[in-house]
Amino acid sequence: MSKFLNARIAALTAYVPGEQPKDQKYIKLNTNESPFLPSPKARKMAKSELKKCMLYPDPDCKELLSAIAVNTDMGVENIIVTNGSDEVLNFAFMAYCDENSPALFPDITYGFYKVFADLNGVPKKEIPLKADFTIDLAEYEREEGVIFIANPNAPTGLALPVSAIEKLLQANPERVVVVDEAYVDFGGESCIPLVKKYDNLLVTQTFSKSRALAGGRLGFGVASKGIIEDLNRIKYSTNPYNVNRVTAAAGTGSMLDNGYFKKCCEKIIRTREWAKSQLRYLGFTMTDSKANFLFVKHDKIGGEELYLALKERGILVRHFSQERICDYNRITVGSRKEMEILVKTIGEIVCER
């Protein structure tokens, strides 16, 4: 780093994305991408915008906002569109956290929450998950601050019912509660309908996972009109053209292609449940994931050892070094063929050990 960097940024521990190696061809089951192509309408609409790329995109993303509004049964005034859901999450840290309102989130969750807190110079408190990796919501009711909860959580895949989130909202009417629903389409229950009842709720979703647009970088937030106005104040003070026209068109097409979207989600869920049963047969234990990934461990082979053995054989999964979860690996649910290769390869590794 240069000698000019300020001390706060120099002290940051940056978020570490999943590996994107180029040394060989891998079966990539490490970054929770979809095994399917974006929808036909998404691809067609994106292609049509390429010839207009000499022009700035619509900063209001009106067409995309309208499509999201129809799909979520919300008003356009209740939605903000962002460059991935990470951007709306960062906006929330910027808007609502300060020395009097620390960020509260689990000790085992999406790694960017800690980074966003440090990047924005706001205090944070990591509240430990229970021994079974479930979130102890009672602890959040006793704390002061802005609450960030991934539901389903990552990397555990465990989901809270909407009734539990509603109880948290009722207990904290003067504090913002952010529910990150990046994986909700794979078996979770969305809290978006609660936005009509609670003005302190912000729900974020992404097009990266269930809508197969990870490379497009598109997300959105749903909240009360007041919260959306707050977030737009930040957007228009930093980057009004935060969503490019090709991505916006792809997102609109995706929202208009719900039949394709639902079919892909159903296939991923069926493959996930099949993989669960196969890995249990091989001696693995795992959480009851409601996401597009599995969180697994084996008593006879360590998490890092399995990760390295799979990588050596051309399969990438995600290993975390945190003490509480270092025996686990997070495995993206790929295509049925990819998961069959994974199961076969893991079976060979377990037999060797």
Side-chain angles (χ1 to χ4, degrees), residues 165-241:
I165 301 291
E166 183 165 21
K167 183 181 176 186
L168 186 64
L169 290 163
Q170 292 170 341
N172 302 280
E174 302 305 316
R175 295 187 290 160
V176 173
V177 176
V178 181
V179 181
D180 178 357
E181 294 186 344
Y183 301 101
V184 73
D185 295 318
F186 302 106
E189 188 181 5
S190 179
C191 290
I192 286 178
L194 295 181
V195 169
K196 295 179 179 180
K197 295 172 63 177
Y198 301 95
D199 64 1
N200 61 325
L201 172 63
L202 169 60
V203 179
T204 69
Q205 289 194 11
T206 180
F207 285 72
S208 295
K209 316 300 182 184
S210 58
R211 293 188 181 270
L213 287 171
R217 308 310 304 131
L218 183 63
F220 64 94
V222 183
S224 65
K225 181 180 178 182
I227 284 180
I228 296 302
E229 288 174 347
D230 298 342
L231 303 179
N232 272 319
R233 180 181 291 265
I234 296 174
K235 169 188 166 178
Y236 283 93
S237 299
T238 52
N239 182 13
Y241 302 110

Side-chain angles (χ1 to χ4, degrees), residues 109-162:
T109 191
Y110 183 35
F112 239 133
Y113 301 157
K114 184 187 296 187
V115 176
F116 285 145
D118 292 341
L119 176 64
N120 291 292
V122 297
K124 61 183 182 294
K125 181 168 184 178
E126 298 174 71
I127 299 176
L129 296 180
K130 296 179 184 178
D132 62 357
F133 294 139
T134 56
I135 295 174
D136 188 354
L137 290 181
E139 287 293 321
Y140 292 85
E141 293 180 18
R142 290 191 282 268
E143 297 286 344
E144 291 295 325
V146 180
I147 299 169
F148 293 85
I149 291 176
N151 192 42
N153 195 20
T156 66
L158 296 175
L160 292 164
V162 166

Side-chain angles (χ1 to χ4, degrees), residues 203-335:
V203 179
T204 69
Q205 289 194 11
T206 180
F207 285 72
S208 295
K209 316 300 182 184
S210 58
R211 293 188 181 270
L213 287 171
R217 308 310 304 131
L218 183 63
F220 64 94
V222 183
S224 65
K225 181 180 178 182
I227 284 180
I228 296 302
E229 288 174 347
D230 298 342
L231 303 179
N232 272 319
R233 180 181 291 265
I234 296 174
K235 169 188 166 178
Y236 283 93
S237 299
T238 52
N239 182 13
Y241 302 110
N242 62 333
V243 177
N244 71 74
R245 62 168 55 249
V246 176
T247 290
T252 302
S254 174
M255 280 287 169
L256 297 175
D257 220 349
N258 267 332
Y260 178 87
F261 156 74
K262 290 178 181 177
K263 188 179 295 183
C264 290
C265 287
E266 288 167 0
K267 288 180 180 177
I268 289 170
I269 291 168
R270 286 198 299 270
T271 301
R272 180 188 69 202
E273 297 308 305
W274 174 85
K276 280 183 182 179
S277 66
Q278 297 298 306
L279 291 175
R280 286 195 184 102
Y281 179 78
L282 293 173
F284 283 83
T285 58
M286 64 200 70
T287 58
D288 183 21
S289 174
K290 300 299 181 184
N292 68 333
F293 57 80
L294 301 174
F295 194 56
V296 307
K297 74 169 183 175
H298 198 286
D299 289 340
K300 292 184 172 60
I301 181 169
E304 184 176 22
E305 184 183 359
L306 178 59
Y307 153 72
L308 291 172
L310 284 169
K311 185 176 181 179
E312 189 176 278
R313 290 162 171 81
I315 301 174
L316 290 178
V317 299
R318 189 76 188 264
H319 180 257
F320 299 91
S321 59
Q322 290 167 265
E323 184 177 352
R324 288 185 67 188
I325 59 174
C326 63
D327 288 333
Y328 286 81
N329 284 297
R330 191 194 69 192
I331 303 172
T332 302
V333 178
S335 68

Side-chain angles (χ1 to χ4, degrees), residues 75-116:
V76 293
E77 70 276 8
N78 298 114
I79 302 164
I80 183 173
V81 177
T82 54
N83 191 302
S85 59
D86 288 336
E87 186 174 51
V88 70
L89 289 167
N90 191 29
F91 286 174
F93 276 86
M94 295 169 69
Y96 304 115
C97 300
D98 57 27
E99 60 276 5
N100 298 314
S101 297
L104 309 174
F105 47 84
D107 64 334
I108 298 171
T109 191
Y110 183 35
F112 239 133
Y113 301 157
K114 184 187 296 187
V115 176
F116 285 145

